[in-house]
């Protein structure tokens, strides 16, 4: 195992810029790691060593030619398979798109490439990003690097597991209801979702367009900030992307360690996010972290957000409604799979056979629910009411942020569960999204930072921080300060305590 894989993206970037290592060496070290352990994790759906090494070589050549390159030039990034790429296939975790190649790169991917980041592979995910455990992937679940029989969270379980297991220092993800933050919590990594419109969604296969955001996954807060700085910004291809001057998130993360932002910080604890059913050991870690914040001079304020109670119900109406419309484009004509029934048939027969064969159970469930919620006669009762709840949740946040600077909660109510444990009960996994969904409903930024392990099972626990729209700098400085406290308490960064995965371990044995 090369020592290079244990460096953070910031450290790798520095070594690359001082020419201590080459981008090719760094890419090769990560490709070796993937070859060695991904059989155990199933975090990647596609890799292409030749494409990655060619991209790395191009960075080395630019550097050799004296071009001045950014902080992350030559650093590998894994890309959630919901983002289209020209150099590798894109499936969104679905059989529907098996073998699909995009003629263009998603904007976030294009920006990463321009900054010299090297695509190291496409990561596994719940089909069309629907799920919280990665078990809805058509290509099998992602196994948690902390305990191979457990889920890695979802829908971006592949991106989170890849960074936690040193297969990549950085990854891109998408977060519609928690899909960056929740897998980060379950794998002991950092996951960041920006303000809605902060990052272009162009080339992200749309699920629920009013909720979807692209963001960053990493092992440290600074690394997540560095990657976000690269992908943020206005894009004429996405009408919802904001034309805003985003301050440097990396500078904010660095300031969070240097300038003690916790003294005097007003931290809100929302009663409705303190879930009664939360695991005792996760709760204990959360309370211990809150105590650390108080010791640093933060003021902890309890607040009510009465409409959060309806967030999950409203989300699971809005989301299927938007998703059912977005997925109508997989019609057997324009993209991917086509199944012709025996003996032929009409266009409708082909469409129906294709959609029956190409979509998994969860996707079908949401298409049916969403179509129903949008149907004439039911629109006001379901979709209309859910939109009203959304407005009320936004108001709850406005009132909360009049009193506090940031909101803290557990990112997820429990640690990673056994693969298969909730397989027959989609409601249970929906309820697990209660803590992450409100931020998407309001379009505000959020981050998950590891704060320790739960006493019962030794698995990672994540703390979620939320801030008002546009306040990512506050989020990154606070998150970096918390990360520094955890590191000081444990004597080592959290990510460094992950168990070692034996090379070539067979994930099937762990299931
Ligand atoms: N778990 C949520 C869902 O299934 C969130 C998914 C996501 O953020 N992509 O919809």
């Amino acid at each position: 195992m090369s020592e290079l894989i244990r460096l953070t993206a910031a450290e790798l970037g520095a070594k690359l810029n001082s020419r201590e290592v080459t981008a090719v060496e760094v890419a090769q070290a990560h490709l070796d790691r993937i070859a060695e352990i991904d059989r155990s994790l199933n975090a990647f759906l596609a890799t292409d060593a030749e494409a990655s090494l060619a991209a790395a070589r191009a960075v080395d050549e630019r550097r050799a030619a004296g071009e001045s390159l950014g902080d992350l030039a030559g650093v590998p990034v894994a890309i959630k398979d919901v983002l289209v790429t020209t150099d590798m296939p894109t499936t969104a975790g679905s059989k529907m798109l098996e073998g699909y190649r995009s003629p263009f790169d998603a904007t976030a991917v294009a920006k990463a490439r321009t900054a010299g980041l090297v695509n190291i592979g496409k990561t596994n995910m719940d089909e069309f990003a629907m799920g919280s455990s990665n078990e809805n992937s058509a290509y099998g679940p992602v196994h948690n690097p902390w305990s191979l029989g457990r889920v890695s969270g979802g829908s971006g379980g592949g991106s989170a597991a890849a960074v936690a297991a040193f297969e990549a220092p950085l990854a891109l993800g998408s977060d519609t209801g928690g899909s960056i933050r929740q897998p980060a919590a379950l794998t002991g990594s950092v996951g960041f979702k920006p303000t809605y419109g902060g990052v272009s969604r162009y080339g992200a296969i749309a699920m629920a367009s009013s909720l979807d955001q692209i963001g960053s996954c990493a092992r440290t807060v600074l690394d997540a900030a560095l990657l976000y700085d690269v992908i943020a910004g206005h894009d004429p291809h996405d009408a919802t992307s904001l034309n805003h001057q985003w301050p440097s998130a990396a500078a904010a993360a660095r300031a969070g360690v240097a300038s003690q932002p916790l003294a005097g910080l007003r931290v809100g604890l929302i009663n409705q996010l303190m879930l009664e059913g939360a695991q005792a050991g996760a709760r204990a870690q959360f309370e211990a972290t809150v105590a650390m914040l108080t010791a640093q001079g933060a003021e902890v304020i309890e607040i009510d957000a009465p409409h959060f109670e309806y967030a999950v119900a409203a989300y699971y109406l809005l989301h299927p409604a938007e998703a059912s419309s977005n997925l109508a484009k997989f019609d057997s004509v324009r993209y991917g799979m086509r199944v012709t029934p025996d003996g032929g048939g009409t266009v409708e027969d082909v469409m129906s056979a294709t959609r029956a064969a190409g979509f998994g159970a969860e996707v079908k469930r949401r298409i049916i629910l969403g179509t129903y919620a949008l149907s004439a006669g039911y629109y006001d009762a379901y979709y209309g009411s859910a939109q009203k709840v959304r407005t009320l949740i936004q108001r709850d946040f406005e009132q909360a942020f009049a009193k506090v600077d940031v909101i803290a909660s557990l990112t997820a109510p429990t640690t990673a569960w056994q693969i298969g444990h909730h397989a027959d009960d989609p409601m249970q996994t929906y309820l697990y999204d209660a803590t992450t969904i409100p931020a998407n409903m309001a379009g505000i930024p959020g981050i998950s930072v590891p704060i320790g392990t739960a006493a019962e099972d030794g698995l990672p626990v994540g703390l979620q921080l939320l801030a008002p729209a546009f306040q990512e700098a506050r989020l990154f400085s606070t998150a970096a300060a918390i990360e520094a406290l955890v590191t000081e308490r444990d004597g080592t960064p959290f990510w460094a305590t992950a168990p070692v995965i034996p090379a070539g371990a067979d994930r099937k044995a762990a299931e």
Side-chain angles (χ1 to χ4, degrees):
M1 184 175 91
S2 161
E3 277 309 305
L4 289 176
I5 62 168
R6 288 183 73 88
L7 298 178
T8 65
E11 289 166 346
L12 277 174
K15 280 196 191 297
L16 284 156
N17 268 326
S18 64
R19 303 216 199 169
E20 229 175 288
V21 289
T22 65
V24 167
E25 284 163 355
V26 173
Q28 191 60 60
H30 288 90
L31 289 167
D32 290 348
R33 174 70 172 171
I34 294 169
E36 194 179 282
I37 65 155
D38 206 58
R39 245 184 93 216
S40 313
L41 297 180
N42 200 27
F44 284 87
L45 294 181
T47 51
D48 182 335
E50 238 169 76
S52 299
L53 292 171
R57 210 169 297 118
V59 173
D60 287 335
E61 281 163 10
R62 279 165 70 187
R63 196 168 262 128
E67 214 180 300
S68 113
L69 299 170
D71 289 340
L72 297 179
V75 176
V77 62
I79 298 175
K80 186 176 179 183
D81 209 27
V82 75
L83 291 163
V84 300
T85 48
T86 50
D87 56 349
M88 292 180 205
T90 303
T91 67
S94 182
K95 286 272 176 252
M96 188 57 100
L97 281 174
E98 196 158 4
Y100 173 71
R101 280 266 180 172
S102 168
F104 69 101
D105 278 325
T107 298
V109 172
K111 280 183 185 259
R113 275 199 222 286
T114 307
L117 282 136
V118 172
N119 176 5
I120 206 75
K122 303 296 291 288
T123 57
N124 199 349
M125 55 183 279
D126 283 302
E127 184 174 7
F128 289 112
M130 298 181 193
S132 310
S133 68
N134 229 293
E135 292 165 290
N136 296 336
S137 167
Y139 305 97
V142 176
H143 296 248
N144 193 312
W146 284 76
S147 174
L148 294 178
R150 306 227 175 201
V151 300
S152 58
S155 66
S159 282
V163 299
F166 309 103
E167 295 180 311
L170 296 171
L172 289 174
S174 68
D175 191 313
T176 305
S179 283
I180 293 177
R181 290 162 286 155
Q182 185 259 19
L186 270 48
T187 58
S189 50
V190 174
F192 166 68
K193 169 221 174 289
T195 299
Y196 184 82
V199 176
S200 169
R201 292 179 296 112
Y202 184 64
I205 296 173
M207 178 160 75
S209 310
S210 77
L211 302 159
D212 296 343
Q213 256 308 283
I214 307 307
S216 49
C217 317
R219 291 192 292 272
T220 70
V221 172
L222 175 60
D223 283 0
L226 285 164
L227 180 56
Y228 167 64
D229 281 339
V230 166
I231 59 174
H234 180 61
D235 175 12
H237 290 303
D238 173 3
T240 63
S241 84
L242 297 162
N243 215 338
H244 178 77
Q245 284 305 320
W246 300 96
S248 161
R254 289 193 173 103
V257 181
S259 69
Q260 301 189 332
L262 299 174
L265 187 80
R266 295 170 306 163
V267 179
L269 304 188
I270 294 196
N271 294 319
Q272 287 76 4
L273 293 183
M274 303 297 134
L275 304 179
E276 268 174 29
Q279 188 177 324
R283 252 185 9 208
Q285 282 295 10
F286 180 72
E287 281 157 19
T289 309
V290 171
M292 286 202 294
L293 300 183
T294 316
Q296 296 296 312
E299 185 190 349
V300 174
I301 303 169
E302 284 183 28
I303 26 186
D304 262 322
H307 303 98
F308 281 29
E309 212 181 305
Y310 309 106
V312 172
Y315 172 90
Y316 278 98
L317 279 168
L318 294 175
H319 178 285
E322 294 189 24
S324 67
S325 317
N326 275 323
L327 295 181
K329 65 176 163 288
F330 300 104
D331 58 2
S332 76
V333 178
R334 284 174 284 190
Y335 306 95
M337 186 186 241
R338 176 177 303 169
V339 176
T340 310
D342 285 346
T346 63
V347 172
E348 281 78 13
D349 294 336
V350 173
M351 249 178 226
S352 163
T354 302
R355 287 168 71 87
F359 288 140
E362 180 64 22
V363 176
K364 286 178 185 159
R365 188 177 296 127
R366 295 205 195 186
I367 290 174
I368 293 167
L369 277 173
T371 309
Y372 181 74
L374 289 174
S375 57
Y378 294 106
Y379 185 93
D380 284 342
Y382 294 114
Y383 191 75
S385 306
Q387 285 289 32
K388 286 179 193 151
V389 171
R390 187 173 187 173
T391 306
L392 294 171
I393 289 171
Q394 286 162 358
R395 284 198 200 139
D396 280 355
F397 269 124
E398 276 162 28
Q399 282 166 13
F401 284 126
K403 297 187 202 119
V404 299
D405 303 307
V406 294
I407 290 167
S409 72
L410 280 172
T411 310
T414 69
T415 57
W417 56 93
Q418 291 289 338
I419 290 173
H421 188 61
H422 294 307
D424 301 326
D425 187 3
M427 257 312 267
Q428 189 58 43
T429 29
Y430 294 175
L431 290 172
Y432 278 3
D433 297 338
T435 40
T436 47
I437 277 174
N440 302 78
M441 300 283 258
I444 62 171
I447 192 165
S448 179
V449 204
I451 50 169
T453 54
E456 303 90 348
D457 50 24
L459 294 170
V461 176
L463 176 127
Q464 171 178 250
L465 279 177
L466 304 175
F470 301 102
Q471 301 303 327
E472 357 289 276
R474 188 188 300 167
L475 209 54
F476 276 111
S477 68
T478 311
I482 294 175
E483 175 182 64
L485 286 176
V486 171
T487 304
E488 198 183 298
R489 178 196 67 193
D490 299 348
T492 173
F494 186 81
W495 56 260
T497 63
V500 176
I501 299 168
D506 190 349
R507 65 174 186 271
K508 291 290 171 215
E511 258 173 45

